[in-house]
Amino acid sequence: MAELKRYDNRLGLWGWLGGGRWGVERYAYILHRLTGLGILCYFLLHIVVTSLRATGRYLWVEGQFFHRPIFKFGEFLVFAAFAYHALNGVRLVLVELGFAVGKPIEPVYPYRTSLNVQRPLLISMMVLALIFLAAGGYEFLGLAR
Amino acid sequence: MRETKYWTWHMAAGVAIFFLLGLHMLIMHMGGITHLFAAHGGAAVSKENSLFRDSALFFTITYVLLLGLALYHGLYGLRTIVFELTLKPAAEKAVSLVLLVAGLGLFGLGAWAAIAAHAIAQAGARG
């Protein structure tokens, strides 16, 4: 079996986080990773906390440990991270499958990049994420009854 | 080839999570707007409404499904990020093993809790 060719990530952590002079998609990618890691941290704790209901402990209901404003705010951050991560993820899946990037063309100068072709999709997804965020904010501020 | 397969599963799991977690968010975090599956009124996260959802087999199945898919998607995503630090093959194996054991352990805990909560809620509903 052929060995995987390994490339040295000489930039280390900066290689993950630095966007440099790349386009907006590079920053969308960084935010996608950060929100993913944030959601994962919450999710691992969420599994443990919600599993306690099998022993009759509901730590998130009124008067219990997790029913404090700080945790409510944390929940909103998780909701915001989910709205972004999910909708940007839909864009990434579509692009990965070849949708919304245009048809392949010959590389003739002046070169055209497919990034500009898929940018309307990125903008649409971010608008949708903002709408969800607004609806979630309305709920978290206690305006919806 | 194997990594391509894992990556495809990662994407497919993401699509399934989009719908399952989307429904979860609509119920739990937008309940004041949607009023979905909160038979007892008030907050969607109240004990009564939690028991109501736990008593339905639909929720028990989708909780276990979402748990498995989200653990795979999240932990495989974490593994991909960690591997970008160009680890030695032995360290990559160790990271994969730790994530696999953690994933299976958390899946066992969450699945047991979902099934036990279903049984408790069903017994409560029967009186």
Side-chain angles (χ1 to χ4, degrees), chain B residues 4-72:
Chain B
T4 309
K5 194 167 66 183
Y6 292 160
W7 177 251
T8 308
W9 289 351
H10 176 75
M11 277 203 308
V15 174
I17 292 165
F18 178 81
F19 293 105
L20 290 173
L21 193 56
L23 178 66
H24 185 69
M25 289 288 178
L26 286 176
I27 295 169
M28 307 304 286
H29 302 297
M30 291 170 78
I33 299 168
T34 61
H35 300 290
L36 280 171
F37 301 107
H40 296 276
V45 296
S46 71
K47 188 175 175 179
E48 294 74 25
N49 284 326
S50 296
L51 281 167
F52 166 72
R53 285 188 296 274
D54 276 335
S55 69
L57 192 61
F58 168 77
F59 279 99
T60 307
I61 292 169
T62 52
Y63 283 158
V64 174
L65 203 58
L66 178 60
L67 176 71
L69 290 168
L71 276 170
Y72 177 75

Side-chain angles (χ1 to χ4, degrees), chain A residues 6 9 33 53 60 96 139, chain B residues 7 29 32 45 54 84 86:
Chain A
R6 293 170 187 277
N9 176 12
R33 290 201 150 180
R53 77 191 190 284
W60 58 89
E96 175 110 3
E139 162 86 20
Chain B
W7 177 251
H29 302 297
V45 296
D54 276 335
E84 280 182 16
T86 327

